[in-house]
Structure formats: structure tokens, C-alpha cells
């Protein structure tokens, strides 16, 4: 899984741009962008990936553009010298997406943080890629609208589009693929183009918008995003419900969705994750599998949903269902849910963490999670589990000691088994984190050769010089 | 708009496969498929497009495969001789999608009509491309599930995926792009591949599923479709509401959506369309702009939605809102809505009809429809309007006498203005019918050159021989 070895080092050395080409780009950028360009070591390091098991690989320079035209200038400079371009949002991605394995220029979009338009009647808005989801929702509040996709981190919307992010609200609102209406991108040739128009739907040719969503910067740089918005619901209630087993919690989720309850969020925490949350957030919950749920709508509809869910939970051996309509109680619960990453460390202070990401058909979720728990125990690892259970998507916070070679080899073997278990159940190696470098090798097992060949053909057709975030998504040696 | 002229005839002659290559394919297919292959004139003509203004162009042969493996065989035979392949579902498309401008082999998928799997817990199913939406919903009834996309015609699900179809329920359930989880396709090289897995969501590489949805057979033949399903709602009510103006009806629609009412269908009929429906279905309605609406959910939620909509309509000068929860009354109303195509002929018996398809941001819809009505009057045409108003999507049933050259030239100029008016309002030349041959020329105006170049590059990369439904989507002379 850790994709660094001698063969790869040789490949990287061969693929780096010649020193003269790189220097030409670096000096042109320094001249053009002044103090909005940096080769400072700590700035370079900040723009490489450091939060996960993927080794950090810093770019050669970082540029901070303020406009689409400036991004296009940077890409044209890089294209002329075949120097890699790596788009950068907030750096919260988890699979090495912002690394620069072959060096090159990181384009930091944090200065492109304007909300360009809000069309309240059309329930859409146009934002620059550096706008974060929290900043956007702050901006939208007065319109009675919000952008529902919530991956937990306060990620940039450009990064969320690039990784096809989703999170806790996907069960109701879908993923970024369902909530991006159009993109402005800078192509690998440095041209600015709109992928589609602002109409709510279209059948006018290939769906370039969806091709770009989830392409992780490998086909172009996203410079503006037209997003679907939703009305802020009139009423919200949230609650937690214990279950005797993971299977019972998953069955309750399936029954909830089948019965048409438009649940806004439904999250599974396994017993160990509940324990971590108790330690971190002092929740005092029974340490058994638990569903965190949220209902939204009119007050009458919320009451009806809450009651219907409570009945389903009870039928399946769960409960008591404890629910809260007070905003402060809801906030406390969901804050605890959002803090699971940090809470996990309480189980093994000083450990490193890998946040994994699998998704299987929901009918296989209980089986997949239960088998994974058994594997964790047998492999003597510590790994609490949290799941966006309405989508069949789950994460492990795998805590490990990277100075212990024996443990590291157990971790590597476990992670391979984890992915293969999901793939064997018609699942995917990543539900929402994306491929980056960390999952690239698994695409060979997930997709048939013809599909991977088609992805390569598309990449080659759109970015024949392979300058756009090279070394991501597609396995490097095949 | 009617894209037949001398230059095109020359282009077509140059592009047709050599007679020997074509004969090789025809005789191989005859030998392999026996009476499931035909060169009979009437069979060929049935497989060319005849329902619209686009001239019929018949294929050279029609094959009726029963399996994916057989489709792959046909494609490999054609690929070896560079003979065009044209996938065919039910022939209900409207823009010449199933025409064979360069000849070739029509693959009629009507014999591939099995529902391969229903996964009730996962709310998905797998179907062959020849299954029609009504047949699927019949099959699903016992599961308490349904497939919500409803384009009016009883189209094949393969065709609906290929054209990115939607229809009256898109306001609630989205379009085919939102309801296809995965596709099995036969590539232009004759390989069978799955575009993605059955997991509800994935970030594992480029979104080949969405690239294929709406690609109109130009990138491969769809041989199986994994579809999202929805639970049959517990309760349904439907109603009709008159408005003084199109603007008032559109404003009521915007307010309905903004206020979060999860309306299941909301359809605009202009006064002339209501008149046609009165004549055809004996509805006895006042001949003013009218919204047809449908609400679904729990009985309490449906009652709440109905009341909320009635209040909004009244606020905006509409009403009285006449609603019906009895299934027979609902059926009568929606039957009338679905019959608008046939009803339109009552306005001008013996005329031909063009069904147009535009989509604009909903905030511009009233302006676009009103300007179009004025243009219809000034151009002395007869064209009732019906709109999927929640999406900003509308259709004209333009009735014309194709033996009158003066009228035909007015029709052509009007259709150009119609598309350009929508494009000028950030709209699209097709919301749901697709491009086919009829709209190909407009893509140059809808998309920037870089986007069209990207579509061409993708087509070239995936189908370098240009054998998959050639002459569709991409403008032929650019």
C-alpha cells in the first residue's frame, strides 16, 4: 500500500522536468507574481501532504493567484516547459492529492475566495474555488439557503468538487456530482472554458461537468463552480439510538430508507468509536453500536419522521431513541460526531492515524463492518469505525505506531484485506476521499482493464503532456 | 436547421464504408444471426427516424441480439470493417438519434428485455437495455419500489440512459444522470466493460458512468444498466391551478421550490395547450396558463404540501387550486398531460409537428416563454407550450404544413431564434431530448470552442474509428 520503493524513485527521477525548464518557470513566476509566489521551504512543505500515511512530496514553487486569468497564465507557463501543475485548496484531502511527486508548481487557490453570484430564485450560486463550505454557508444565511454537502472538514469547494466529496448529508442531498451544475476550468493548454450552462439540466453533449468532478486536478484546474443550493429547512430534530449489533443498526437504516423517510443524516458509530467519543466529548453513552440521526422538514413532518424512525428502531431491537429538537443539544451531538477523528486518538495517545474510506451496497454493510471488526481484533489493531450508513460508506480511524516494523507490516496487510473485502462485495475502494496516490494501485482491482484503459485514453486526450497533477488517480506503472 | 444540403450529401458519400466492407459485415451477420438479422426494406425503414422533422436515414441491416456477448460480436464484426453501429431501443427519440446517415448496422435491443436483478434492500436493480420503463415498474410493483423517471413515452431504459432523459418527475427525482448507478457497455473495440460498481457512491477515478449517460451511443453500446429505485409513496394527491399569466405560474413554482415543498411534479401548460387538451381530452378547463401539480409522501405530509401550495398560488393571483386524491381523477388529469403531443394536433388537423426542447434557469423561464409566445404570434405559427417548470425546461409542439415553403422558412427562422433566446438566458438547446442530428449545429453556440474540442478529443480517444453512431452530437463539419 505504501507506494514508495526503488523502482518508483527511478520513475520519479526520470519523469521530473529538466532543471532548466523548471528554473525557467520558477523565475518567470517570481517575476510575474512577486510576493504572491514562493520557494520558501516551509511554504513548500505546507503545500505537500502531511496528514496521512502518504509521504509528503513538496512542490518546487507555490503561486497564489487572484483570478482565473492568473491561473491560466500559470498553466500556460508550465505547459510551455512541461512542468507539473498541482491545484491546492485547503490541504484537507487524505490520499496525497496535493503532493508533487515529480515536483512542479502548486496553485494555491485560497486567495480566490469570492462568492461571485447568488441566484436565489434559481437556487444556485457561483463561487471561486477557494471559498470554503462554512464561508459559503455564512454568506448564504440571509438568503434562507444553504449548501448541504458536509464532508466534516471545512474544505474548499474547489477541492470538494475535485475529489467528488460528500459526507454526512449525502443520504439526503447526494454528493458533489449531484450538486455541481457547471464548472469553469483552465485546461491543460491554459485555455479558460465553461463545462456547461446554468440551466438546471441539459442533454447537450458529453457531461464534461461530471467528468471534471472527481478528476482530482488531473484534467484541468477548477476556477469557478456553479453549485445547487437548498432551502434551509424550517425544523430539525436529531437523536441517537443504541443497537445490540451493527447488523441491527444497518437493518434499521435500510428499513428507514425503504419506508421513504427522507432522513437528513444517519451515521453509524461502532462500540469502540462510541467509547472514543465518550472519552473525548464526555457523552456518557452506552458503548454499543449507535446511530446518530437527523430529520428536517416542516415541524409536522419532522415529528412524523422521528416517530416513524423510533418505531423502526424498536422493531429491530434498538432503542430507546433519544431525540432533541433544541439546537444546543443537536450541536453537541453532531460536534461529537464531527470530532471522531480527534476523538480516536484518545484510544491510543501518541499514535499516528490512517483514515480509510470504503463503500459497499448497503445490504452488505453489516457483513463488511462485522468482518472488518473481526479482522481488526485478529490483527491486534486499534481502529474505531464510523459510517455514512445510508450510503454504505464507512471509515476506520486506524491508529498505529509507525516505529514498530511488525505492526506496520500488519497494518499494510490489513489495509489490503480491507479494500479487497469491500471490492468482493461489489463495493469501491473509495466512497468519497478520492484516489490520489494512496488508492491508485487499487484501481486495477476495482475497474476492469477496459475501463482503466478508457480513463487513461481520456487523460491522454485532454492532457497529452501529463502536466496536470501527474501521478494521481491512474496507477503509475501500468 | 434542417441539416440536409449538397455539401452534406458529398460528406456522407465520402464517409460511407466501402461496399465490400459493408457486404462482408452483412453476410457475416446473416450467417451468424439467421432470422435475427434483417435487410428487409420495411424493417430498415422502421429503424430510421421518422417521427420528426429530421429526415429518415435507414441502416443497411438490423440485428436483434439477445445478450451482451452477441452485441460484442456485432461490434467486433463492424469494427473490423469500420462499419457504423447504431444502437436502437424503442425509436421514440426526437432528434434523429437512430438514423444511419452513413449506413451501417442498427442494433435493436428490444430482445434484451430482462430484469436481471432487483436488490430491494439497496434500492437498485439491474436491467437489460430493452426493458421499457413501464415494464420495469410493472415488474417492481410487488417490491413496493418504482423507477421514477418518466419522459412520457414508454421508452427503453437503454435509450433513456443514452439520451440523459428526464421528464415530469425530474423536479423531485433528477434525470437519468442522477438515477443510473452503473452501466455495462460494449466499447467501440467490442470489449465488454462495467463503468463502475454497485456501491451507492464512489470517488474511484473518472466518472465513466456519467460520461456514457447522454453520450447517445457515440462512445459504446449500453448492454446493462444498474438503476437507483425509490419507494412507492404512501399517499399521492394531484391538482390543477389556473394563473392569470405565465409569469404568475412561474413565480408560484419558484416560491414552491424555495419554500422546500418536495413537489413530485409541477407542469406548466400555456393557454393554447390547455385549449388543445380541452379539445382532445374534454377537460372543460378555463383556457388560461395552468399548473398541473402532484404531491407525494405520507398522508399528513401530502395534506400539508397541498395546503402550502394552495396558499402560495393564491398569494400570486392564482387559483382556485382544484385537487384530487382519488386515483381515477389523478389518472385522468395526468393522462391529459401525457397526451399533450396528440392533443396538439387538434389545433391543426393534418399538420406535422416538431417537438422542441429548451431549458433555462427557472428565474428566466417566464420571460423566455412569454417572448416565445410573442414570437409565435408574430411569425404566424401554431405552437402550444408545455413546461417541466420546476426545471426551467419547456417544449413547443410546433404544428406546420411542410408543403408550404413560405411557412417552412418561417419555421426554420423561428426555431433558430428559439434556441438563441434560450442560450442568451444561460440556457441550453436541449434539456432532455438530446442532440442527435437535429441539435448538433447548435452545440457550437452553446459550448465554448475549448469544450467542444474536449468533447471531440474524448470521442476520438474512445472511438478512434468513429464507428459508434457517427454523425450524432458533434457538429459534422467542424
Amino acid at each position: 500500500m505504501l507506494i514508495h520503493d526503488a523502482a518508483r524513485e527511478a520513475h520519479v527521477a526520470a519523469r521530473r522536468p529538466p532543471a532548466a525548464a523548471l528554473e525557467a518557470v520558477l523565475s518567470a513566476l517570481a517575476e510575474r507574481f512577486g510576493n504572491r509566489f514562493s520557494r520558501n521551504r516551509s511554504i513548500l512543505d505546507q503545500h505537500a501532504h502531511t496528514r496521512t500515511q502518504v509521504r509528503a512530496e513538496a512542490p518546487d514553487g507555490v503561486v497564489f493567484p487572484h483570478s482565473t486569468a492568473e491561473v491560466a497564465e500559470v498553466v500556460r507557463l508550465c505547459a510551455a516547459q512541461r512542468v507539473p501543475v498541482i491545484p491546492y485548496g485547503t490541504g484537507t484531502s487524505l490520499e496525497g492529492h496535493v503532493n508533487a511527486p515529480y515536483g512542479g508548481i502548486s496553485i494555491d487557490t485560497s486567495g480566490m475566495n469570492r462568492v461571485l453570484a447568488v441566484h436565489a430564485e434559481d437556487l444556485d450560486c457561483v463561487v471561486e474555488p477557494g471559498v470554503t463550505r462554512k464561508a459559503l454557508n455564512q454568506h448564504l444565511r440571509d438568503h434562507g439557503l444553504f449548501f448541504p454537502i458536509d464532508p466534516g472538514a471545512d474544505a474548499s469547494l474547489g477541492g470538494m468538487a475535485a475529489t467528488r466529496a460528500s459526507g454526512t448529508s449525502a443520504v439526503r442531498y447526494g454528493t458533489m456530482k449531484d450538486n455541481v451544475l457547471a464548472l469553469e476550468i483552465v485546461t491543460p493548454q491554459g485555455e479558460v472554458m465553461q463545462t456547461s450552462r446554468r440551466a438546471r439540466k441539459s442533454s447537450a453533449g458529453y457531461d464534461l461537468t461530471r467528468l471534471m468532478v472527481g478528476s482530482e486536478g488531473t484534467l484541468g484546474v477548477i476556477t469557478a463552480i456553479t453549485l445547487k443550493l437548498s432551502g434551509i429547512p424550517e425544523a430539525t430534530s436529531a437523536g441517537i439510538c443504541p443497537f445490540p449489533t451493527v447488523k441491527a443498526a444497518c437493518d434499521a437504516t435500510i428499513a428507514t430508507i425503504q419506508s421513504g423517510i427522507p432522513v437528513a443524516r444517519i451515521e453509524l458509530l461502532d462500540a469502540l468509536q462510541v467509547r472514543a467519543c465518550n472519552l473525548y466529548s464526555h457523552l456518557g453513552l452506552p458503548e454499543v453500536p449507535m446511530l446518530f440521526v437527523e430529520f428536517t422538514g416542516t415541524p409536522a413532518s419532522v415529528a412524523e419522521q422521528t416517530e416513524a424512525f423510533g418505531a423502526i428502531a424498536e422493531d429491530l431491537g434498538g432503542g430507546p431513541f433519544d431525540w432533541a429538537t433544541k439546537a444546543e443539544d443537536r450541536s453537541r451531538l453532531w460536534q461529537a460526531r464531527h470530532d471522531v477523528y480527534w476523538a480516536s486518538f484518545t484510544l491510543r495517545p501518541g499514535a499516528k492515524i490512517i483514515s480509510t474510506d470504503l463503500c459497499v451496497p448497503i445490504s452488505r454493510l453489516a457483513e463488511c463492518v462485522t468482518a472488518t471488526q473481526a479482522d481488526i481484533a485478529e490483527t491486534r489493531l486499534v481502529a474505531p469505525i464510523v459510517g455514512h450508513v445510508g450510503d454504505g460508506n464507512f471509515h476506520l480511524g486506524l491508529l498505529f505506531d509507525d516505529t514498530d516494523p511488525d505492526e506496520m507490516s500488519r497494518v499494510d496487510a490489513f489495509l489490503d484485506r480491507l479494500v479487497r473485502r469491500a471490492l468482493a462485495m461489489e463495493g469501491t475502494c473509495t466512497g468519497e476521499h478520492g484516489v490520489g496516490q494512496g488508492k491508485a494501485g487499487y484501481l486495477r482491482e476495482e475497474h476492469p482493464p477496459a475501463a482503466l484503459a478508457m480513463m487513461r485514453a481520456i487523460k491522454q486526450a485532454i492532457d497529452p503532456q501529463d502536466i496536470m497533477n501527474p501521478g494521481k488517480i491512474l496507477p503509475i506503472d501500468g
Side-chain angles (χ1 to χ4, degrees), chain A residues 310-447:
Chain A
I312 287 169
E314 199 183 314
D315 274 356
L316 291 160
F321 176 41
D322 179 20
W323 62 287
T325 49
K326 271 200 290 183
E328 66 204 55
D329 296 344
R330 279 205 317 275
S331 294
R332 193 177 54 91
L333 281 181
W334 284 100
Q335 191 57 48
R337 164 61 192 86
H338 281 315
D339 287 342
V340 294
Y341 179 87
W342 305 110
S344 300
F345 288 105
T346 60
L347 298 172
R348 193 171 175 185
K352 304 265 170 156
I353 196 165
I354 296 173
S355 177
T356 69
D357 173 37
L358 294 310
C359 188
V360 295
I362 187 172
S363 63
R364 308 298 296 273
L365 183 62
E367 180 187 356
C368 195
V369 168
T370 305
T372 298
Q373 288 176 319
D375 193 357
I376 291 167
E378 280 162 32
T379 316
R380 292 171 288 122
L381 298 172
V382 180
I385 295 177
V386 61
H388 308 314
V389 68
D391 309 317
N393 186 200
F394 69 100
H395 307 292
L396 275 66
L398 176 55
L399 297 152
F400 63 99
D401 173 2
D402 64 353
T403 66
D404 179 347
D406 172 67
E407 179 167 350
M408 289 310 294
S409 87
R410 281 182 284 130
V411 164
D412 280 356
F414 169 81
L415 290 173
D416 271 342
R417 289 194 300 275
L418 180 68
V419 171
R420 291 193 176 116
R421 186 179 300 121
L423 293 178
M425 294 180 182
E426 301 184 76
T428 174
C429 70
T430 169
E432 56 183 17
H433 289 177
V435 179
Q437 298 173 304
K439 291 281 174 73
Y442 292 122
L443 290 206
R444 272 192 224 98
E445 296 173 51
E446 171 147 353
H447 297 298

Side-chain angles (χ1 to χ4, degrees), chain A residues 253-304:
Chain A
T253 305
I254 291 170
T256 300
I257 293 169
Q258 276 185 327
S259 72
I261 299 175
V263 61
R265 306 183 203 246
I266 187 160
E267 296 285 304
L268 171 71
L269 280 67
D270 81 346
L272 185 61
Q273 186 68 66
V274 174
R275 178 173 166 72
C277 290
N278 277 341
L279 289 168
Y280 188 79
S281 303
H282 311 292
L283 297 178
L285 297 175
E287 290 172 6
V288 296
M290 193 74 76
L291 288 181
F292 279 46
V293 293
E294 186 178 271
F295 304 108
T296 58
T298 62
S301 153
V302 165
E304 197 176 41

Side-chain angles (χ1 to χ4, degrees), chain A residues 453-474:
Chain A
M454 192 174 280
M455 290 188 199
R456 284 189 199 284
I458 291 166
K459 167 71 172 174
Q460 167 71 23
I462 294 177
D463 178 24
Q465 293 204 104
D466 191 22
I467 62 164
M468 297 307 309
N469 209 4
K472 314 299 165 65
I473 297 186
L474 296 164

